[in-house]
Amino acid sequence: MTYPSPHHGHHGGPGRNPLADLLDQSTPIPVSGIDVDAVIARGRGIKRRRRVVAGSAASMVVALAVAVPTLLPSITGKNLEAGQAAPGVAPTQTVAPQYVDSAAPDDASAPTGVSPMLPPVAAPSEAPAPGEAPATGGVPAPVEVDADSPRTMADFQIALPTYLEDVLGPLYPLASEVAWNDAGDAFAVLVGPSGEITVTVTLFDGDVQVNAPGLPDDVRVALVQKLQSALANVEPAT
Amino acid sequence: MDVDAEFRAWAEQARAGLQRTAFMLCTDWALSEDIAQEALLKVYLRWRRIRTNPTAYARRAVSTTFVDFTRKSWRRETSTEELPEQPVYLPDGTLAAPVLQALKRVPDGQRTVLVLRFWEDMTMPEIAKVLGCSVGNAKSQASRGLERLRTELAAMGVTADILEGT
């Protein structure tokens, strides 16, 4: 059974290499059953999910900035509210607590528990709409991160839940948000057939390691490959 | 025209060709639909950046999606000493021509190189990039793939002369 040659465009038509001609004659032009509208719907869903992921990261920053000043007085015994600055910080500067050294709160040479480096953080309701430039000091608008090709490590980290969900989600639904420890390892809890599985993703020297006791090795390897593939697009920090 | 309408107009006319290429790579009609669909999704997600030449990106996406499919371990074929007979059927239920039957019996990696080289007209460096291997490795796979194709065609009683010049 042969089919009319459908070739146009780059394939060039009859006269090119014999194998291509043979394939051309042997392969039908399909009446494709692909539903383009379904593809668009899936694409919209993925884009929306990426925006939500990026938005969640911004929300975490806000939550930290709100929570830490509340906790600081009980940790350091100092009140940072109402313009009372921490040692070493000018009173007019807006401060956003970043680091607490509760072991040495009264040592003037040690970290004071306050970093003046972070910009002031606005309430979530002040966040600009997607696509708008954030006002100075406001919450950055949710940024769309292209999980297929993250350009920076920050993009990669934002997209990490997407990778986990893409590879593991169909078989092992995520039971938690992705959390990070001080060393930069990411943790997530999955629902496995015999209980919860904790996945640890460790980044080192531009590579990635996945530790997940209880997760089948082929699934773990698939996740490693997915993460390595995404990491390959990340530009090294200069 | 908005982005979705623009994409839809392009995808409606491109989907059949993409599925055809996917079919040659995997020789399975149902799987070719999945591969072409995934490739279209990749195109959609990058439409703003590639809208000037989406077809070139889409062809590449079909290839990389197929390679991803073959690498996923739970979909990986089980190696056996003797390959089982796996006829290739066309969408209308008829048996595919000998060249497609023979192509099906060429190992995945070699078949991918053959299709990318001789059907997609990719250069060896382009193929190496898609497969994530060296150019030398891609050339070697192409050579072994052609040899295997000749052998399979000969076993079907088809003269291997038809591959002269490839």
Side-chain angles (χ1 to χ4, degrees):
Chain A
M1 185 170 193
T2 57
Y3 294 81
S5 175
H7 270 310
H8 36 256
H10 85 303
H11 289 304
R16 63 216 165 97
N17 73 74
L19 178 56
D21 283 339
L22 275 175
L23 291 171
D24 203 353
Q25 292 159 17
S26 317
T27 316
I29 307 169
V31 178
S32 180
I34 296 172
D35 182 351
V36 176
D37 286 325
V39 172
I40 291 173
R42 271 182 72 196
R44 280 182 182 158
I46 290 172
K47 284 184 173 179
R48 189 164 47 242
R49 194 151 48 93
R50 287 175 183 170
R51 278 195 289 269
V52 168
V53 166
S56 301
S59 303
M60 282 173 63
V61 173
V62 172
L64 276 174
V66 169
V68 174
T70 310
L71 295 173
L72 263 184
S74 61
I75 298 170
T76 65
K78 291 181 170 61
N79 181 12
L80 298 178
E81 300 291 334
Q84 183 180 338
V89 179
T92 53
Q93 266 181 295
T94 306
V95 293
Q98 183 188 37
Y99 176 80
V100 176
D101 184 358
S102 55
D106 296 317
D107 183 351
S109 64
T112 60
V114 177
S115 164
M117 301 304 289
L118 286 180
V121 178
S125 60
E126 294 173 30
E132 284 181 16
T136 305
V139 177
V143 180
E144 185 178 328
V145 174
D146 184 353
D148 288 334
S149 58
R151 304 292 298 272
T152 66
M153 190 53 80
D155 286 351
F156 175 84
Q157 291 179 337
I158 288 172
L160 183 62
T162 308
Y163 304 137
L164 293 174
E165 199 173 313
D166 284 351
V167 178
L168 305 173
L171 298 170
Y172 303 93
L174 288 178
S176 74
E177 296 285 322
V178 175
W180 298 84
N181 69 6
D182 292 343
D185 302 326
F187 299 90
V189 178
L190 314 173
V191 181
S194 55
E196 292 186 338
I197 298 171
T198 300
V199 176
T200 308
V201 178
T202 306
L203 300 169
F204 60 98
D205 295 338
D207 203 351
V208 67
Q209 183 178 321
V210 174
N211 185 26
L215 194 68
D217 201 49
D218 57 348
V219 179
R220 189 188 63 79
V221 168
L223 178 60
V224 170
Q225 286 174 347
K226 174 83 175 178
L227 297 178
Q228 284 174 333
S229 159
L231 269 176
N233 296 311
V234 172
E235 291 165 1
T238 52
Chain B
M1 193 187 291
D2 73 2
V3 168
D4 285 0
E6 210 175 82
F7 171 80
R8 186 180 290 108
W10 169 82
E12 296 279 1
Q13 58 86 22
R15 60 184 174 179
L18 296 176
Q19 189 174 349
R20 197 166 182 240
T21 298
F23 174 68
M24 267 177 267
L25 287 165
C26 68
T27 62
D28 179 311
W29 208 253
L31 184 56
S32 73
E33 191 164 303
D34 289 347
I35 292 171
Q37 196 157 305
E38 287 300 313
L40 284 175
L41 183 63
K42 289 179 180 175
V43 172
Y44 177 78
L45 292 174
R46 294 188 178 205
W47 184 257
R48 286 180 197 278
R49 272 180 274 169
I50 60 168
R51 66 206 303 175
T52 52
N53 189 7
T55 305
Y57 181 85
R59 284 202 192 100
R60 196 177 199 79
V62 167
S63 312
T64 53
T65 304
F66 170 69
V67 171
D68 284 348
F69 266 70
T70 60
R71 283 181 183 159
K72 283 185 177 164
S73 47
W74 54 82
R75 292 197 181 94
R76 198 170 290 155
E77 293 173 9
T78 309
S79 298
T80 55
E81 205 162 317
E82 286 294 320
L83 281 175
E85 286 294 332
Q86 295 174 317
V88 179
Y89 291 101
L90 300 175
D92 60 5
T94 57
L95 204 58
V99 67
L100 277 175
Q101 300 285 352
L103 194 64
K104 169 86 173 176
R105 296 180 66 85
V106 175
D108 273 356
Q110 295 170 16
R111 184 173 67 245
T112 305
V113 174
L114 291 184
V115 172
L116 297 185
R117 178 71 191 91
F118 297 111
W119 177 258
E120 281 297 310
D121 290 340
M122 283 190 187
T123 64
M124 281 299 172
E126 285 173 334
I127 294 171
K129 193 171 176 188
V130 168
L131 297 179
C133 66
S134 68
V135 175
N137 184 290
K139 284 181 178 173
S140 153
Q141 297 240 53
S143 169
R144 278 185 282 145
L146 273 177
E147 192 52 48
R148 178 67 181 266
L149 191 58
R150 284 193 180 96
T151 305
E152 294 297 339
L153 281 171
M156 292 176 176
V158 179
T159 171
D161 290 347
I162 58 175
L163 293 179
E164 287 301 316
T166 51

